[in-house]
Amino acid sequence: MRVPVSLDDSKEAVATFVTFDHLHDHKEHIAILFDPYKGSATPTVRIHSECLTGDVFHSLRCDCRQQLTEALEMLSGQGGILLYMRHEGRGIGLYNKLDAYHLQIEKGLDTFSANKELGYEGDLRSYEEASQMLAALGIKKVKLLTNNPAKVNGLQQYGIEVSEMIPTRLGETKHNRSYLLSKKRSGHNLNISDDLSA
Ligand SMILES: [Zn+2]
């Protein structure tokens, strides 16, 4: 199903929300299309994992809201696709994410160690569904807006070619610095100093 939705009344940009049947994990992932072939024969794609605290309530604990805003601005201007994945808390869910926040505050663990303390892998996300969504849209090759090589590998594992990795801005603040450092330690390409005194 494809449904047009106006996201910004200052522009004529109308996004198309696309739903899917039979995704591997049966979750309600959404593709949001902004004229995918406007700028290039290879669409620019952002895979965004749902973050209720950041996306909706503007929590400063993480950089999700900044990344979502940056992606929407870029894609609505240049064309592309946002895949909004229901991967709250890197796949562990909202309640577990809040339990992990509690552990981070109480014990000083980082986001990945806290998930492990709760009995989960540091990152449970699979990119099988994102790959299924792109394939259903007839897309076999993308330029991926990300700093995370695991997303590139994840798509390629399921048959989607990534011709280019477009870095996202580093939205560092005093609130999310330790979160960004833990992302860097887990393999994200982030230009952030490990010097905690900085
Ligand atoms: Zn977040």
Side-chain angles (χ1 to χ4, degrees):
M1 176 83 76
R2 289 174 176 242
V3 182
V5 178
S6 294
L7 297 182
D8 181 349
D9 69 3
S10 68
K11 297 178 194 164
E12 291 183 11
V14 176
T16 303
F17 281 56
V18 184
T19 65
F20 298 85
D21 293 322
H22 311 302
L23 291 177
H24 180 253
D25 64 4
H26 303 291
K27 290 189 175 166
E28 293 185 324
H29 307 297
I30 287 283
I32 304 170
L33 274 51
F34 299 91
D35 200 356
Y37 297 102
K38 181 178 178 182
S40 165
T42 304
T44 299
V45 172
R46 170 71 186 170
I47 302 175
H48 184 86
S49 297
E50 175 180 36
C51 173
L52 183 89
T53 47
D55 296 345
V56 177
F57 297 106
H58 305 191
S59 161
L60 299 175
R61 254 198 107 77
C62 56
D63 61 342
C64 301
R65 165 85 181 173
Q66 288 157 284
Q67 294 207 308
L68 180 60
T69 303
E70 178 188 355
L72 288 173
E73 281 173 2
M74 177 190 270
L75 299 173
S76 63
Q78 301 176 12
I81 299 169
L82 183 99
L83 301 182
Y84 192 83
M85 308 302 294
R86 315 307 290 274
H87 285 157
E88 178 68 66
R90 291 197 178 79
I92 66 173
L94 178 62
Y95 280 12
N96 286 324
K97 182 178 85 170
L98 292 172
D99 285 344
Y101 278 2
H102 180 71
L103 281 176
Q104 290 168 43
I105 293 163
E106 291 291 308
K107 295 192 177 181
L109 300 179
D110 72 20
T111 180
F112 297 96
S113 309
N115 285 10
K116 284 190 179 141
E117 176 115 351
L118 290 170
Y120 298 100
E121 292 295 317
D123 190 338
L124 288 181
R125 291 174 295 182
S126 157
Y127 297 97
E128 181 167 3
E129 294 77 21
S131 304
Q132 285 185 305
M133 292 159 78
L134 291 168
L137 293 168
I139 294 166
K140 296 189 173 85
K141 182 160 84 170
V142 301
K143 292 184 275 193
L144 196 64
L145 180 59
T146 187
N147 298 319
N148 185 0
K151 286 186 179 171
V152 175
N153 296 334
L155 288 184
Q156 293 187 149
Q157 184 184 344
Y158 293 103
I160 303 293
E161 183 184 343
V162 178
S163 64
E164 191 180 333
M165 201 170 157
I166 304 171
T168 64
R169 281 197 297 262
L170 180 66
E172 183 186 351
T173 69
K174 64 182 178 182
H175 303 284
N176 66 22
R177 181 176 161 73
S178 67
Y179 173 75
L180 292 174
L181 280 170
S182 63
K183 278 172 104 171
K184 182 180 178 183
R185 282 195 295 274
S186 80
H188 291 233
N189 300 332
L190 297 181
N191 183 20
I192 178 172
S193 166
D194 288 318
D195 181 359
L196 286 170
S197 66

